[in-house]
């Protein structure tokens, strides 16, 4: 008999009496208890500023009649439904939001909404099809928007609808996920943050266990008084994660084979086996960006990880920045003496410099190869590299695809690579690819107070390998379309899952045979299942999810295809995988990175769209497709909400052109820009040449960028310095755009956007997307990203916000400036950038191109304005499309602060205040 082990936790809810348990079947009292996750998980799902004020239902003067969450879990596959009923009890029309936080590994399957009797029903379609239909609705002004946003280990599904007073709205979201076993448990988490008291609040988790003889029915149903933070409070105490954590005792190490709905699922989680010895090379990033909390947490985690090693394990430590160092050039046993010495070495690491990932990984592989060639590695041991990094490569080989090929080329079949990416600066997509391609896995570590625990938890998952070379097979002609059935390793506390279709047969029995290598023995395990029994039993269960095996097979297949797609060697292969993913996702109604959820009213005139988001740094499916029917490289569809027909507008809507949002104002391909320290990049249309130069001025100086006394426009920037004590790096901390005819000035700083007309002063934060117009000056702000100032519809200036970690030891927040070439200035325009817009600009010629001291940077002679300048071919960054990494702009670099290219000396462009016009000598 299998027994349920159940652990429950809810954050910030102090009344324990509101739990209700209904358990059908046998209960194992010795192992069941309530576990308080308060300290470990508190606010874990709310890491970014934009999530701190999360509420499931948003809006003022609204009544939430009910909020109900129900999960039906059938044999590791969960179908969760979130329902809410809301009334606009205010006296005015308003927007009401419905937000649901779901696990990242889940797939949304449907969303429905009923507004005053108008029903919206969702369906999953190929992304291009869905977007085209949505665009048609938008064009008629009949669309709302759904957005999904990234955060820590979950995603936020958001929708908003504008309704008149008295409106009744019912929301319903469905999503599905497979339960993954980690460290001996399955964990099902529901994110509960209603933000207010709810008369009918209920959570139900209905679990049908594997043997069908035990059902678990967990109900959480607090009344209004139990929801209150205190006896007389109006705020809700429900704010956190409701977690059901469980495991089952298994009959044998052969696993469980289940057949239902023409599909099978085999679960393999053996125990009571001796661990295999390990050979581990820890590769730790100690570049400057790891300074502070990241390094402290990594050191703390490594102390505990190294203590876990045994004398049967071999290990070494490599730390790298722009250089690569080894604590030991060879693998050594995990004795107490060696472990103590390694801990001392790690404790003394001082982060600085760049990031040379390629050389560090090459050195780690060489260490394992050498030990293997010398016979120091047990043939039954597990050899792995654990990479811990927080950034992209900046030194040595920096091309990610080349690093990926290099690692693949030198790695042996018996080695595995595990990648841990700390924070959001790292290209997690790259780390995931190199791990998946080399028999490992990747995990993002969130750089907060809990990072050390995250690192230790990850290591715990891979620290006890029990089996190698596992294969789960089936008799010929009994199954088809089988998911991955060969695995390099099995770790204690985890689970291997294989699924597929069951072919018609004369017998009612399906057999699986599992082979594997354990410590000092080889295993062959066999189990079978009746192909009709489970469906008959499920039909008797009131709350069972009868299609679980079919959906689980599709879920696993799509997840694996997404991984294969990222590793596809050719465009043709990638296109075939893409088509397969889209076909399966549409058939099984999963919102994936290549499909979208289209929600339509009954007459199909009103439509909403939900896309699957990309990871903050690159995505799981980044990159365009060649000839495919859909592409994640498509420009994102801008969500513009126009009130649906049931809204009674009290004031007329502004004209469509005036209602144009900030995202619609994009700069042309060729721009003149200033970014970083400060790097100027100027495009010379006459010679189609990009030139660049730096200005080595001092903090506090105000530099004139554009001065046009004819048009009455001036653009100035004030420099700030980095926090570095010994080296002065300067950046723009404030940009001012002044329009003299109307006396309007816009001052953009890293904290705010301020507008003044001499009489009135207005200040706007970066925390909202906004559009402000006054006297021919328009300010279009994209939240926490950029602001575009447009003057008389013919002069534009974009200011880009660069945010850094507030406690960063060196870097500071700063601004970048992007100015189009086609701005319509007067002939009097000047300034560090403006002078290049005067026509005709003096002819520029570049000749005598030759190799320089740096083979990657050619040198040449540039002739301009009668000057012959030695110039260097290099590149600078344009951050408009990628605010973190930027895109490269190749240019001829002018040395000595642009001497010989700009008129006069750079000091001539220093002006006394932010609204000063340039006075050239």
């Amino acid at each position: 008999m299998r027994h349920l082990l159940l652990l429950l936790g809810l954050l910030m809810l102090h009344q324990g009496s509101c739990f209700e348990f209904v358990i059908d079947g046998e209960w194992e009292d010795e192992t069941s208890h309530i576990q308080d996750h308060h300290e470990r998980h508190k606010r874990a799902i709310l890491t970014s500023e934009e999530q701190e004020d999360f509420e499931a239902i948003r809006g003022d003067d609204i009544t939430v009649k009910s909020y109900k969450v129900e999960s039906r879990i059938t044999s590791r596959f969960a179908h969760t439904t979130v329902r809410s009923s809301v009334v606009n009890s205010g006296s005015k029309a308003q927007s009401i939001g419905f937000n649901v936080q779901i696990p990242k590994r889940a797939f949304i399957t449907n969303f429905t909404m009923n507004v005053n009797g108008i029903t919206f029903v969702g369906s999953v379609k190929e992304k291009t099809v869905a977007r085209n239909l949505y665009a048609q609705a938008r064009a008629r002004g009949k669309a709302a928007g759904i957005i999904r946003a990234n955060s820590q280990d979950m995603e936020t599904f958001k929708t908003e609808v504008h309704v008149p007073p008295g409106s009744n709205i019912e929301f319903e979201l469905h999503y599905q996920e497979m339960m993954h076993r980690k460290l001996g448990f399955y964990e099902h988490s529901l994110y509960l943050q209603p933000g207010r008291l709810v008369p009918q609040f209920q959570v139900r988790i209905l679990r049908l266990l594997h043997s069908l003889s035990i059902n678990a029915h967990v109900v959480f149903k607090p009344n209004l008084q139990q929801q209150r933070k205190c006896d007389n409070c109006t705020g809700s105490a429900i704010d956190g994660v409701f977690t059901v954590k469980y495991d089952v005792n298994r009959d044998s190490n052969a696993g469980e084979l289940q057949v239902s709905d023409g599909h099978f699922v085999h679960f393999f989680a053996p125990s009571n086996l001796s661990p295999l010895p390990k050979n581990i090379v820890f590769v730790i990033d100690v570049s400057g960006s790891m300074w502070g909390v990241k390094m402290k947490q990594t050191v703390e985690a490594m102390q505990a990880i190294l203590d876990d090693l045994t004398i049967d394990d071999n290990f070494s430590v490599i730390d790298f920045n722009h250089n690569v160092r080894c604590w030991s050039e060879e693998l050594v046993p995990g004795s107490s003496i060696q472990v103590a010495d390694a801990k001392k070495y790690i404790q003394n690491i001082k982060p600085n410099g760049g990031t040379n990932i390629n050389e560090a990984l090459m050195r780690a592989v060489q260490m394992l190869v050498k030990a293997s060639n010398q016979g120091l590695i047990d043939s039954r041991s597990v050899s792995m590299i654990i990479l811990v990094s927080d950034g992209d490569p900046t030194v040595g080989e920096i091309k990610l695809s080349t690093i990926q090929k290099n690692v693949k080329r030198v790695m042996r079949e018996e080695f595995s690579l595990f990648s841990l990416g700390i924070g959001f600066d790292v290209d997690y997509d790259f780390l995931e690819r190199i791990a998946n391609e080399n028999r490992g896995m990747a995990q993002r570590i969130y750089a907060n107070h809990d990072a050390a625990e995250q690192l230790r938890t990850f290591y715990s998952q891979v620290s006890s390998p029990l089996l190698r070379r596992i294969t789960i097979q089936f008799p010929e002609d009994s199954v088809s379309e089988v998911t991955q059935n060969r695995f390099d390793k099995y770790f204690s506390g985890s689970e291997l899952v294989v699924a597929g279709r069951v072919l018609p047969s004369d017998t009612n029995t399906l057999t699986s045979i599992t082979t594997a290598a354990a410590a000092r023995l080889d295993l062959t395990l066999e189990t079978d299942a009746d192909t009709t029994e489970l469906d008959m039993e499920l039909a008797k269960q009131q709350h069972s999810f009868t299609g679980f095996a079919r959906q689980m097979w599709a879920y696993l297949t799509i997840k694996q295809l997404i991984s294969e797609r990222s590793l596809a060697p050719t465009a043709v292969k990638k296109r075939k995988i893409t088509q397969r993913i889209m076909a399966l996702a549409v058939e099984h109604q999963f919102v994936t990175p290549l499909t979208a959820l289209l929600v339509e009213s009954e007459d199909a005139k009103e439509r909403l769209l939900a896309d699957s988001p990309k990871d903050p740094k690159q995505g799981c499916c980044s990159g365009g497709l060649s000839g495919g029917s859909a592409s994640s490289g498509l420009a994102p569809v801008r969500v513009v909400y126009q009130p649906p027909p049931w809204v009674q507008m009290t004031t007329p809507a502004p004209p469509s052109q005036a209602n144009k949002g900030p995202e619609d104002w994009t700069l042309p391909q060729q721009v003149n820009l200033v970014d970083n320290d400060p790097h100027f990049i100027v495009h010379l249309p006459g010679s189609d040449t990009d030139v660049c130069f730096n200005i080595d001025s001092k903090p506090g100086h105000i530099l004139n960028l554009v001065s046009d006394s004819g048009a009455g426009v001036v653009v100035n920037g004030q420099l700030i310095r980095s926090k570095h004590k010994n080296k002065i790096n300067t950046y723009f901390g404030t940009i001012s755009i002044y329009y003299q005819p109307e006396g309007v000035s816009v001052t953009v700083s890293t904290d705010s956007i301020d507008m003044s007309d001499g009489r009135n002063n207005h200040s706007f934060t970066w925390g909202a997307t906004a559009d402000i117009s006054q006297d021919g000056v328009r300010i279009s702000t994209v939240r926490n990203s950029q602001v575009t100032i447009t003057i008389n519809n013919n002069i534009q200036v974009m200011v880009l916000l660069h945010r850094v970690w507030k406690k960063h030891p060196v870097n500071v927040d700063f601004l970048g400036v992007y100015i189009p070439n086609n701005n319509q200035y007067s002939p009097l325009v000047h300034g560090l950038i403006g002078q290049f817009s005067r026509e005709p600009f003096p002819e520029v010629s570049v000749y005598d191109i030759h190799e320089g001291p740096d083979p990657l940077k050619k040198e040449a002679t540039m002739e301009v304005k009668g000057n012959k300048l030695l110039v260097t071919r290099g590149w600078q960054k344009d951050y408009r499309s990628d605010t973190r990494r930027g895109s490269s702009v190749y240019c001829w670099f002018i040395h000595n602060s642009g001497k010989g290219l700009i008129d006069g000396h750079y000091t001539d462009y220093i002006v006394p205040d932010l609204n000063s016009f340039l006075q050239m000598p």
Side-chain angles (χ1 to χ4, degrees):
M1 182 67 67
R2 299 174 177 85
H3 304 290
L4 171 72
L5 314 179
L6 184 65
L7 303 149
L8 291 169
L10 178 69
L11 309 186
M12 297 181 67
L13 187 71
H14 51 280
Q15 298 91 345
S17 60
C18 55
F19 285 102
E20 174 190 348
F21 303 98
V22 181
I23 307 295
D24 302 324
E26 294 188 15
W27 178 260
E28 186 168 318
D29 295 318
E30 305 91 275
T31 54
S32 64
H33 61 279
I34 303 298
Q35 182 175 4
D36 181 14
H37 292 264
H38 182 85
E39 291 303 320
R40 178 178 173 188
H41 292 294
K42 183 179 179 183
R43 308 297 286 177
I45 60 170
L46 304 177
T47 56
S48 65
E49 293 180 5
E50 64 189 14
Q51 291 291 335
E52 285 298 332
D53 59 347
F54 178 89
E55 290 181 341
I57 307 296
R58 299 186 69 92
D60 298 320
D61 295 319
I62 65 172
T63 300
V64 181
K65 295 191 296 183
S66 68
Y67 191 85
K68 298 180 179 180
V69 183
E70 179 178 290
S71 283
R72 289 181 295 150
I73 308 174
T74 301
S75 194
R76 285 93 153 176
F77 202 74
H79 182 117
T80 301
T81 305
V82 184
R83 299 182 179 92
S84 186
S85 179
V86 183
V87 175
N88 180 4
S89 51
S91 59
K92 297 180 180 180
Q94 66 165 313
S95 293
I96 295 176
F98 174 70
N99 306 330
V100 179
Q101 297 182 76
I102 67 173
K104 279 191 174 181
R105 63 174 179 259
F107 285 147
I108 290 174
T109 57
N110 206 346
F111 172 71
T112 62
M113 181 174 66
N114 187 289
V115 183
N116 294 332
I118 299 177
T119 301
F120 291 76
V121 179
S123 61
V124 176
K125 300 180 183 297
E126 292 182 12
K127 186 167 287 190
T128 48
V129 173
R131 284 182 172 182
N132 287 337
L133 290 170
Y134 175 63
Q136 293 173 18
R138 265 186 52 198
R140 297 194 301 270
K142 304 290 186 182
I146 298 176
I147 305 168
R148 293 178 68 195
N150 278 312
S151 189
Q152 187 165 328
D153 57 352
M154 56 85 195
E155 292 167 353
T156 302
F157 174 99
K158 296 183 178 182
T159 186
E160 192 170 278
V161 60
H162 197 86
V163 294
S167 295
N168 289 274
I169 312 102
E170 294 179 355
F171 301 102
E172 185 172 305
L173 179 73
H174 299 255
Y175 63 88
Q176 296 178 354
E177 61 178 316
M178 190 181 83
M179 300 292 97
H180 291 266
R181 188 170 183 258
K182 293 182 179 180
L183 300 175
F185 290 97
Y186 304 94
E187 190 168 289
H188 184 55
S189 296
L190 301 171
Y191 303 91
L192 307 178
Q193 288 130 325
R196 63 195 69 225
L197 301 175
V198 181
Q200 298 181 42
F201 189 98
Q202 178 176 289
V203 177
R204 288 206 308 168
I205 300 177
L206 309 168
R207 171 139 187 85
L208 180 66
L209 296 183
H210 320 300
S211 65
L212 298 172
S213 60
I214 305 175
N215 291 307
H217 181 190
V218 180
V219 178
F220 171 58
K221 193 176 180 180
N223 59 36
L224 279 174
Q225 189 58 33
Q226 291 170 325
Q227 294 176 44
R228 299 181 192 275
K229 289 184 177 180
C230 63
D231 290 342
N232 298 317
C233 294
T234 58
S236 175
I238 302 175
D239 182 16
V241 188
F242 186 92
T243 298
V244 174
K245 193 173 181 180
Y246 66 93
D247 198 17
V248 295
N249 291 334
R250 292 163 176 81
D251 288 339
S252 74
N253 273 336
E256 300 171 55
L257 181 61
Q258 300 179 359
V259 182
S260 174
D261 195 23
H263 293 75
F264 76 87
V265 186
H266 183 104
F267 304 98
F268 184 65
S271 58
N272 301 320
L273 297 170
S274 298
L276 299 167
K278 303 183 294 292
N279 313 292
I280 306 180
V281 181
F282 298 98
V283 182
I284 303 173
D285 184 347
V286 296
S287 60
S289 58
M290 286 288 289
W291 190 93
V293 174
K294 291 181 183 178
M295 197 69 240
K296 180 181 178 182
Q297 299 268 330
T298 301
V299 170
E300 179 185 335
M302 285 302 300
Q303 307 298 310
I305 288 170
L306 290 173
D307 278 336
D308 183 74
L309 296 173
T310 71
I311 194 66
D312 294 326
D313 298 325
N314 297 305
F315 79 106
S316 187
V317 177
I318 292 175
D319 63 298
F320 71 99
N321 46 24
H322 49 283
N323 296 316
V324 177
R325 292 162 299 277
C326 300
W327 162 71
S328 171
E329 293 290 340
E330 297 180 344
L331 294 179
V332 299
S335 67
S336 58
I337 295 176
Q338 300 285 17
V339 166
D341 190 63
K343 290 167 68 174
K344 183 178 179 181
Y345 176 85
I346 293 172
Q347 188 74 45
N348 292 326
I349 289 174
K350 304 297 181 186
N352 65 84
T355 308
N356 194 341
I357 291 179
N358 185 75
E359 186 179 343
L361 290 176
M362 293 300 101
R363 189 79 63 87
V365 177
Q366 290 166 10
M367 195 177 291
L368 289 176
V369 170
K370 181 179 179 181
S372 179
N373 291 342
Q374 292 177 345
L376 301 178
I377 290 181
D378 187 329
S379 61
R380 288 186 177 271
S381 64
V382 170
S383 299
M384 59 181 99
I385 297 168
I386 297 181
L387 168 67
V388 181
S389 179
D390 79 326
D392 293 341
T394 60
V395 178
E397 179 56 65
I398 62 173
K399 190 175 182 181
L400 300 182
S401 60
T402 302
I403 297 174
Q404 184 180 341
K405 290 176 183 176
N406 290 344
V407 174
K408 177 67 173 176
R409 174 173 46 82
V410 298
M411 284 283 281
R412 292 188 177 179
E413 284 295 318
E414 63 267 29
F415 303 161
S416 296
L417 172 62
F418 296 89
S419 304
L420 299 176
I422 299 182
F424 283 96
D425 293 332
V426 69
D427 191 327
Y428 183 71
D429 181 56
F430 162 68
L431 293 183
E432 193 172 48
R433 284 199 308 273
I434 62 172
N436 290 341
E437 197 172 38
N438 294 284
R439 297 159 296 283
M441 60 182 177
Q443 182 165 315
R444 189 186 289 284
I445 303 297
Y446 299 92
N448 55 30
H449 68 280
D450 197 34
E453 176 62 21
Q454 295 174 58
L455 285 164
R456 289 194 295 267
T457 299
F458 174 84
Y459 178 75
S460 297
Q461 296 175 42
V462 300
S463 63
S464 186
L466 301 183
L467 297 173
R468 284 199 58 202
R469 297 188 295 273
I470 306 103
T471 302
I472 301 175
Q473 295 176 296
F474 303 85
E476 189 175 356
D477 299 326
S478 65
V479 298
S480 66
E481 298 184 70
V482 178
T483 60
Q484 179 186 352
N485 67 332
R486 297 177 184 273
F487 306 89
D488 185 66
K489 285 172 289 295
Y490 167 76
F491 296 98
S492 177
S494 65
E495 186 173 65
L496 304 180
V497 183
V498 178
R501 296 183 185 271
V502 178
L503 297 175
S505 172
D506 294 333
T507 69
N508 291 335
T509 302
L510 178 65
T511 302
S512 73
I513 301 171
T514 302
T515 60
R520 299 180 297 279
L521 75 154
D522 296 323
L523 300 177
T524 299
L525 306 169
E526 183 175 321
T527 188
D528 57 46
D530 189 296
T531 58
T532 60
E533 182 183 23
L534 183 55
D535 281 339
M536 290 188 293
E537 291 295 330
L538 286 172
K540 300 175 185 177
Q541 302 290 332
Q542 179 181 0
H543 299 291
S544 66
F545 178 21
T546 55
F548 85 92
R550 178 177 180 270
Q551 288 297 94
M552 188 179 288
W553 166 78
Y555 178 99
L556 282 170
T557 302
I558 290 172
K559 291 284 187 181
Q560 291 175 15
L561 286 171
I562 288 174
S563 179
E564 291 175 20
R565 182 180 183 273
S566 69
L567 299 173
T570 65
V572 173
K573 178 71 172 176
K574 190 172 187 177
R575 186 161 57 247
K576 288 181 178 179
I577 295 173
T578 298
Q579 292 167 350
R580 176 72 171 142
I581 293 172
M582 291 190 298
L584 277 173
V586 171
E587 179 184 354
H588 295 266
Q589 292 293 283
F590 287 142
V591 178
T592 71
L594 298 171
T595 53
L597 180 68
L598 186 71
V599 186
E600 299 177 289
S601 60
E602 294 168 322
D603 57 7
K605 290 185 178 179
E606 284 77 55
R607 289 174 174 145
L608 304 89
L609 181 71
D611 277 6
S612 181
K614 293 200 295 186
D615 198 73
K617 194 68 174 285
Q618 301 298 315
C620 65
C621 295
S622 60
L625 305 179
S626 301
S629 57
S631 170
S632 60
L634 288 170
V637 174
R638 179 173 175 266
V639 178
V640 180
Y641 180 72
Q642 299 290 347
W646 63 81
V647 177
Q648 301 299 314
M649 298 293 291
T650 56
T651 56
S656 58
Q657 179 64 25
N659 203 37
K660 200 175 185 183
E663 292 93 334
D664 287 326
W665 292 82
T666 56
L667 290 172
Q669 182 87 12
Q670 298 294 346
V671 297
N672 299 320
L673 64 96
V674 194
D675 219 321
N676 262 321
D677 181 26
H679 302 308
F680 286 71
I681 306 177
V682 176
H683 181 74
L684 305 177
S687 56
D688 196 23
T689 301
D690 288 314
V691 296
C692 50
F693 55 92
N694 297 343
I695 294 296
D696 298 321
S697 195
K698 296 179 180 179
H701 281 175
I702 300 173
L703 299 178
N704 175 255
L705 305 179
V706 176
S707 180
D708 188 349
S709 57
V713 175
V714 64
V715 181
N716 292 321
Q718 186 167 28
L719 298 173
I720 57 174
R721 66 170 295 165
S722 66
K723 301 174 186 175
H724 202 293
K725 293 182 180 180
N726 301 320
K727 181 182 178 182
I728 297 179
N729 290 333
T730 54
Y731 307 87
F732 280 127
T734 304
I735 300 295
S736 175
I737 298 92
Y738 178 49
Y739 184 41
Q740 189 181 44
E742 299 294 342
V744 175
S745 66
V746 180
T747 304
V748 183
S749 71
T750 57
D751 296 322
S752 63
I753 300 104
D754 300 315
M755 187 176 190
S756 174
D757 60 7
R759 300 179 302 275
N760 303 298
N761 299 301
H762 307 281
S763 184
F764 307 91
T765 69
W766 281 99
T769 296
D771 202 296
I772 306 108
S773 297
Q774 178 179 336
D775 299 328
V777 178
R778 180 175 180 181
I779 305 173
S780 301
T781 305
V782 179
R783 182 175 183 262
N784 291 328
S785 175
Q786 66 190 49
V787 58
T788 300
I789 297 91
T790 307
I791 299 175
N792 284 341
N793 292 323
N794 56 25
I795 294 177
Q796 275 190 357
V797 178
M798 174 192 280
V799 180
L800 200 65
L801 175 64
H802 293 275
R803 287 271 193 231
V804 300
W805 173 46
K806 290 182 180 179
K807 296 182 181 180
H808 196 287
V810 175
N811 295 339
V812 293
D813 293 349
F814 66 96
L815 304 172
V817 187
Y818 295 76
I819 302 175
N821 272 80
N822 59 0
N823 274 353
Q824 298 174 29
Y825 303 114
S826 81
L828 301 178
V829 65
H830 210 285
L832 282 168
I833 286 180
Q835 64 186 286
F836 299 102
S837 298
R838 290 181 298 180
E839 294 292 346
F841 187 80
E843 185 177 343
V844 174
S845 62
V846 179
Y847 56 89
D848 188 25
I849 300 174
H850 58 275
E851 297 290 337
D854 186 340
L856 298 178
K857 297 181 179 179
K858 294 184 180 299
E859 292 187 344
T861 298
M862 174 181 286
E863 192 165 339
V864 57
K865 298 180 178 179
N867 301 314
K868 292 185 178 181
L869 310 176
L870 177 65
V871 294
T872 305
R873 185 67 163 168
W875 53 268
Q876 301 288 8
K877 292 288 190 179
D878 181 338
Y879 290 93
R880 285 176 297 162
S881 59
D882 186 340
T883 56
R884 288 191 178 275
R885 300 176 64 191
S887 55
S888 296
V889 177
Y890 287 89
C891 55
W892 288 109
F893 185 80
I894 314 296
H895 302 274
N896 301 318
S897 295
K899 184 178 181 180
L901 174 72
I902 63 174
D903 292 341
H905 192 267
Y906 82 87
T907 55
D908 298 333
Y909 297 87
I910 298 174
V911 293
D913 61 64
L914 286 170
N915 290 344
S916 295
F917 282 80
L918 182 65
Q919 302 295 325
M920 288 293 290

